[in-house]
Every structure is written in structure tokens, then in C-alpha cells.
Amino acid sequence: MPSYTLRQLEYLLAVAEYGSVTGAAGALHVSQSSLSSGISELERAMDLQLLVRHHAKGVSLTEAGERLLVQARTLIEDAQVLEQVAHDLGSAPVGSISIGIFSVIAPYFVPELIARLATTHPDIDARIEEVGLDELNDGVLSGNYEVGFGYDFGHSSQVTLEHLIAVPAHVVVPANHRLAKAKSISLSQLSGEQLVLLDLPYSRDYFVRALRAAGVEIDVAYRSTSAELVRAMVARGMGVALLNLRPAHTQSLEGKSFAILEISDDIPPARLVALTGNPEKLTRRATAVLETARSVQITGMPKIK
């Protein structure tokens, strides 16, 4: 069994952070004598000198102390995770959880997710932040978001992805367009059309790649980072568009109509995914959010089995 305690390691971390016994003791709300005694006991247990005491100038870590500090920090973090797991196993999920979600997906996914959580896990306070895909990836990796939801584009291999919903692409045309009555078209039928492009990283590349694969010469007339604005411009006859998520109606916010057409070409769908960090360190809150997300359905979109 270890001859040191986690409390002694906490003392070492605090001294390293504050550079003095006085500052560390104040931060931990213990007496200076208790902290000094704890550090001395740790040094005896390790048979190492960890600190250099400078008269009237605080303390500094020895080389051995610096190396031990790295492992001590990891050990304390693991102990905190263990404590959280034990707490979660013994109680219903409770508390605040930070959730990142790709801004384009949010209006289609968040309302039902929050409504279901409120019913099944009322003690979870879900805090939603709408972000871009790169911010989402970084936020999950850094731990700023316990759970994220986005498309399966451009994510780090260090992020764990769970596929939830397939989101096939479709074409949006003005209501009076020559193709508006068709149920399904080939992308090659868009040759010569002006394009209103959803100009977001990864989404933009996905649409352009699909059009080029169909041999369509791309003429981008307008760009927008808002899917709602893209549909509004199409409804005004300013071009055609490719999008993934589809609204429950075919009118823009201005009240002008557009038509949604299926694509007969073999285009891989985008996939709505859940993103997490280390799956072994998921809190009970995060697990509850993931379980709830699996039951969320976007109208007209097939679940991934």
C-alpha cells in the first residue's frame, strides 16, 4: 500500500502553484504547520527532497519534485474521476452538464432533446452552446463539453463518435422552377443553374464534391452560413441549393415557397453524431444525455441502426 496520501499530493500541487507555504496553506484552508508537516512526510515516504526552501523568498521544486508533480496531478485527477463514478453509481444523474452542438443542427435536435431530458432526468441542468464543427471538436477534447452533437466531418481521432441519424442531401428549388414538380432528380439536371451555397466548413466541401462528381459546372451566385437564409434566397428565385436537414414546411420566413427534391445520385448522407472524450470517464449525466439522444428523431430522417 502507498505510504503517502492524496492530501499530501494536494499539498505539493498547491505549493507548486502558489510558490510558498503561506499561499498554499491559505488556498487549502489549512495551517502552515499542517501543510509543512504533510510535505515533510511526503518527502520521507518518497525518500526524496521535493522542495527547496528559500529564506523569505518562498519555495521552489527540485528536479525530482517537478517530475513527481506531473504524476501527482494525474493521480489526483483519476481519484476525482473515481469519486464521481462512485457518486454516480449510487444516485440518479443530477447537476449541470455542458453540451456543445453544431449550430445548423441545433433547431432540429435541441428542442426534443431538452424536452425528453426534462421528463426523464429532471435533475439534469443541460446547458447548450451552439458552435461550429471545429469549435465543437476542440470543446469535447478540452473537456469544455461533456457531450457534443454534430456531423461526422473533420473530427479528431481522439474524439469518440457515435452515429445517431443519417441526414441525406436534397435539392431546394423555387416553387416555380422547371424541376419543382419532380419528386427526384439527378444532380446533372442542375447544369447551368446558379447555386446558393451553404458556406460552412465541411458542409461546403460536401456539397461541392457531390456536384463535381455529377459533372455539374458550379456557378456560385450567393453564399450564406445560414441554412434559413439559403432557403429564403432560393424561394426568391435567386438560385438553387443543396442542403441536408429539411424543415417541416416549404415556405421561407418571408412566406415565399420553395420545393424540396430528392436526389437519385448515390451520395453518402451526412451523419449526425454524438461526440465524447474518454468513454471510460463519462459521468452519469453524460451517459443519461447520450441515452436520451438515441431516442430523438428528426422528421423524415432515418435512424442509424
Side-chain angles (χ1 to χ4, degrees):
M1 294 293 291
S3 55
Y4 59 87
T5 67
L6 290 176
R7 189 60 169 167
Q8 290 166 354
L9 295 180
E10 286 180 329
Y11 288 167
L12 180 65
L13 263 63
V15 169
E17 180 178 355
Y18 291 96
S20 72
V21 171
T22 302
L28 295 177
H29 305 292
V30 299
S31 67
Q32 294 183 41
S33 60
S34 294
L35 190 142
S36 294
S37 176
I39 293 290
S40 296
E41 290 172 5
L42 180 62
E43 289 180 316
R44 284 195 294 273
M46 298 294 181
D47 195 23
L48 291 169
Q49 182 180 356
L50 303 176
L51 300 178
V52 177
R53 284 78 172 172
H54 305 286
H55 180 66
K57 293 184 179 180
V59 297
S60 61
L61 269 64
T62 63
E63 182 179 351
E66 292 282 2
R67 295 181 64 179
L68 186 69
L69 184 69
V70 175
Q71 298 301 321
R73 185 174 288 113
T74 300
L75 188 58
I76 288 175
E77 289 174 354
D78 287 344
Q80 291 169 341
V81 170
L82 178 62
E83 186 176 18
Q84 180 65 55
V85 169
H87 177 270
D88 289 346
L89 289 173
S91 62
V94 62
S96 298
I97 181 170
S98 181
I99 301 171
I101 186 161
F102 181 35
S103 57
V104 172
I105 292 171
Y108 298 86
F109 192 76
V110 168
E112 184 177 349
L113 176 66
I114 296 302
R116 286 178 178 269
L117 281 173
T119 300
T120 57
H121 302 289
D123 293 326
I124 292 180
D125 176 20
R127 300 184 178 182
I128 306 294
E129 187 171 345
E130 298 170 52
V131 294
L133 287 176
D134 287 336
E135 294 171 279
L136 180 63
N137 182 81
D138 293 344
V140 171
L141 277 177
S142 68
N144 286 340
Y145 306 132
E146 286 192 51
V147 181
F149 297 99
Y151 284 147
D152 58 343
F153 299 148
H155 295 298
S156 165
S157 59
Q158 295 175 280
V159 170
T160 300
L161 301 182
E162 178 182 342
H163 291 172
L164 298 176
I165 301 172
V167 191
H170 61 270
V171 175
V172 185
V173 299
N176 60 355
H177 191 273
R178 61 184 175 85
L179 297 172
K181 300 296 184 183
K183 292 183 178 180
S184 175
I185 66 167
S186 167
L187 289 180
S188 62
Q189 293 176 260
L190 297 179
S191 292
E193 297 282 351
Q194 289 191 313
L195 182 68
V196 182
L197 181 64
L198 181 62
D199 197 15
L200 290 169
Y202 307 110
S203 296
R204 171 183 59 234
D205 299 336
Y206 169 81
F207 296 132
V208 169
R209 188 164 53 246
L211 289 167
R212 284 178 175 162
V216 177
E217 186 174 338
I218 300 169
D219 179 12
V220 178
Y222 301 97
R223 300 170 182 265
S224 173
T225 58
S226 163
E228 199 64 62
L229 181 53
V230 167
R231 282 188 285 264
M233 287 193 284
V234 170
R236 274 190 169 270
M238 300 167 70
V240 301
L242 269 67
L243 294 172
N244 289 97
L245 291 164
R246 59 190 70 190
H249 54 79
T250 53
Q251 282 194 326
S252 70
L253 295 181
E254 291 183 298
K256 298 186 181 299
S257 297
F258 54 84
I260 292 176
L261 312 178
E262 304 296 339
I263 298 173
S264 60
D265 305 65
D266 185 17
I267 301 173
R271 294 172 184 266
L272 194 157
V273 296
L275 298 84
T276 54
N278 187 340
E280 296 180 0
K281 294 185 177 181
L282 288 181
T283 64
R284 192 168 178 82
R285 292 186 303 274
T287 300
V289 169
L290 288 172
E291 289 173 350
T292 303
R294 295 182 189 115
S295 66
V296 173
Q297 180 67 58
I298 296 177
T299 302
M301 300 291 105
K303 300 290 285 187
I304 295 175
K305 299 179 180 179

